[in-house]
Amino acid sequence: LIGLLRLLPSARCLFDQPVQVKVEGLRSRQVVTMRARSTDEKGVVFSSSATYRADGSGKIDLLRDPSLSGSYVGVEPMGLLWSMKADALHKRFQKPCALNPHVVKFSVHEEDREDRMLAEVTNERLLIGNGVSRLPVKGKNFQGVLFTPPEEGPFPAVLDLCTLMSEKRASLLANRGFVVLTVPVYIDHPDNVKQMHLDHFKEAVDFLQQQPKVGSTGVGIMARSKGGDIALSLAAFVSGVKAVVSINSCNAVVSVPLYYQNHQIISPLRSDITKIIHTESGASILKYGLENPLAEENKHSLVPIEQAKGHFFFVASEDDLNWDSKAYMDQMAERLKRHGKENFETLCYPGAGHLLEPPYNPYCASSFHRIIRHVVLWGGEARAHAAAEVHLWSKIQEFFKTHLSCDAAQTKPKL
């Protein structure tokens, strides 16, 4: 191999850490194609490529040098990662389990000659940090996975409500010094779920608060999409919820009624399938498929967030095509203001789509929606979406650190 390809500071890192990609040993001003490829847990191959020109001394540095063409253009140090996509349409990179690292092969090739490889290196991107424990748990009415940092603590506690089981966000947050329990909103097939019980999620909150290394007096909750209305409802009806990060959530309960202590507390917002837009690619736009939550006949679907004692961090992607997240966020902020509340902050990302994840995930434009059983467009433009994910991930950690304070005196002796 002629060139030398290096990843700094190391070829082994956490999933949410950037790497500096450098090439040396090329000819002066040589033009090469750089590639990245990875296989997800379903066996689907995702890849990207970009054309770069070496400097006078035969070096390329992705922190400094622009891609001239390919999966993205311009200076994008992590572009090879977020621009990876599958050959087939409508594929989303599947990485639900935290145990296996995200393995990416970076390579350098003679310009447009995939068969002429000059150098390659493997990047192991770990979801679970050194010493973080992963424990599958099953309560009476909930199941999930608990991630605990190795140090003594005390640590703030966060419940991650994922719509369908995924460990990535929870494990990555635990690496940053949080005890995190991830619990799926749907355990059963969504078609079989006719109602949801807030009590089941309260049980998860209580379980989390009893963990020996937890020092915060209340818990944080992080959720996106359908998980969001459960998170908002927990904040409104259950004590001990101190901080909620609500990403691209609706301000009303969606799809099935919500029960608490054997009574229906919130009726579901109805959908209007005539408003679903079908596109030539075979994917649908769901953005206008829910009825207006502010209409008089739907007011019993709204979550009474003004009852919450904790703090809210509302996040909305302006280009969300799953539903009108920006409008829902504005309505929630307006509702709290009307009740004289100032316990919230809002953040809006132009150019981002529905699926905001921890950073450096391959961007997904469209995929099979496992709740409605149809291929949908998620929205967003890849570069803006990827930048939003980097920014949001640090804001989430900052928000939880601010509102879930811990001190050693709070750690309770636990049996």
Side-chain angles (χ1 to χ4, degrees):
L1 296 179
I2 304 157
L4 176 64
L5 177 55
R6 286 192 304 158
L7 301 176
L8 302 173
S10 164
R12 209 161 175 265
C13 63
L14 290 171
F15 182 96
D16 55 356
Q17 287 178 327
V19 284
Q20 185 179 5
V21 184
K22 295 180 98 166
V23 188
E24 45 195 68
L26 299 172
R27 295 189 305 276
S28 174
R29 315 256 175 242
Q30 183 177 352
V31 175
V32 294
T33 302
M34 299 200 58
R35 298 181 181 275
R37 60 186 284 133
S38 183
T39 306
D40 77 357
E41 285 179 16
K42 286 267 200 295
V44 179
V45 176
F46 285 70
S47 63
S48 60
S49 68
T51 306
Y52 283 89
R53 179 183 278 111
D55 65 12
S57 54
K59 292 178 180 170
I60 295 169
D61 180 351
L62 267 59
L63 274 182
R64 169 197 75 183
D65 299 323
S67 160
L68 307 175
S69 65
S71 302
Y72 58 93
V73 292
V75 178
E76 289 292 333
M78 295 291 276
L80 286 168
L81 280 179
W82 58 250
S83 70
M84 283 197 289
K85 53 164 84 131
D87 288 338
L89 276 176
H90 314 314
K91 294 291 182 196
R92 182 175 172 192
F93 194 86
Q94 299 291 338
K95 198 99 196 76
C97 177
L99 289 173
N100 314 321
H102 174 36
V103 178
V104 184
K105 275 204 157 44
F106 287 98
S107 54
V108 187
H109 304 253
E110 285 192 15
E111 187 181 7
D112 298 329
R113 290 284 304 270
E114 201 171 344
D115 58 328
R116 296 290 299 271
M117 184 162 68
L118 305 175
E120 75 171 331
V121 64
T122 300
N123 183 201
E124 258 194 297
R125 307 187 64 79
L126 310 176
L127 278 89
I128 190 158
N130 212 356
V132 171
S133 78
R134 173 189 178 275
L135 180 70
V137 293
K138 199 163 173 39
K140 189 161 144 259
N141 293 299
F142 79 91
Q143 61 189 54
V145 180
L146 180 71
F147 294 94
T148 310
E151 301 81 12
E152 277 303 289
F155 300 107
V158 174
L159 175 65
D160 182 4
L161 287 176
C162 47
T163 306
L164 296 152
M165 191 58 196
S166 174
E167 300 177 17
K168 179 168 58 189
R169 197 166 54 184
S171 64
L172 292 173
L173 192 62
N175 298 337
R176 308 288 183 160
F178 294 86
V179 173
V180 190
L181 173 64
T182 181
V183 170
V185 171
Y186 290 97
I187 298 171
D188 197 357
H189 191 288
D191 288 352
N192 301 335
V193 177
K194 303 297 178 222
Q195 58 196 47
M196 287 200 182
H197 293 268
L198 201 58
D199 317 63
H200 299 179
F201 300 101
K202 179 187 185 300
E203 197 188 309
V205 168
D206 295 343
F207 171 84
L208 187 52
Q209 286 196 287
Q210 286 155 12
Q211 295 312 300
K213 288 188 180 181
V214 167
S216 49
T217 46
V219 304
I221 305 180
M222 158 169 69
R224 183 186 66 212
S225 198
K226 171 61 194 168
D229 67 60
I230 301 293
L232 298 172
S233 302
L234 282 168
F237 292 97
V238 171
S239 61
V241 177
K242 296 277 285 287
V244 174
V245 174
S246 158
I247 304 166
N248 292 331
S249 304
C250 186
N251 52 340
V253 164
V254 180
S255 68
V256 291
L258 186 64
Y259 283 71
Y260 188 42
Q261 296 168 342
N262 294 321
H263 295 287
Q264 182 175 316
I265 52 169
I266 304 179
S267 52
L269 182 64
R270 291 183 297 257
S271 49
D272 180 354
I273 54 170
T274 64
K275 298 239 170 73
I276 292 174
I277 302 163
H278 301 285
T279 70
E280 281 178 15
S281 74
S284 301
I285 295 172
L286 303 182
K287 182 157 191 167
Y288 308 103
L290 284 176
E291 289 194 0
N292 175 9
L294 298 188
E296 185 59 30
E297 66 272 19
N298 294 326
K299 66 177 188 205
H300 298 298
S301 303
L302 292 165
V303 182
I305 50 174
E306 68 281 358
Q307 293 174 194
K309 302 273 191 290
H311 282 78
F312 292 107
F313 178 22
F314 300 122
V315 179
S317 296
E318 276 191 36
D319 194 34
D320 190 341
L321 295 182
N322 183 71
W323 53 30
D324 199 349
S325 294
K326 171 75 166 68
Y328 300 152
M329 178 179 83
D330 292 343
Q331 289 164 18
M332 287 191 278
E334 193 48 52
R335 181 179 182 120
L336 288 172
K337 275 190 210 143
R338 211 170 53 241
H339 285 88
K341 297 279 198 160
E342 293 177 354
N343 58 338
F344 68 95
E345 50 196 271
T346 60
L347 184 54
C348 189
Y349 290 109
H354 186 65
L355 298 178
L356 286 173
E357 303 252 3
Y360 314 126
N361 206 53
Y363 162 73
C364 175
S366 61
S367 69
F368 185 71
H369 192 307
R370 283 150 70 195
I371 312 295
I372 67 151
R373 321 291 298 158
H374 204 289
V375 172
V376 303
L377 285 167
W378 299 111
E381 180 276 311
R383 178 198 298 247
H385 187 93
E389 290 181 329
V390 174
H391 183 262
L392 176 59
W393 189 231
S394 65
K395 295 299 276 187
I396 288 172
Q397 294 166 54
E398 212 176 281
F399 175 77
F400 282 142
K401 286 196 173 116
T402 303
H403 296 290
L404 301 172
S405 55
C406 269
D407 63 61
Q410 284 178 350
T411 327
K412 26 214 177 292
K414 286 163 188 161
L415 302 174

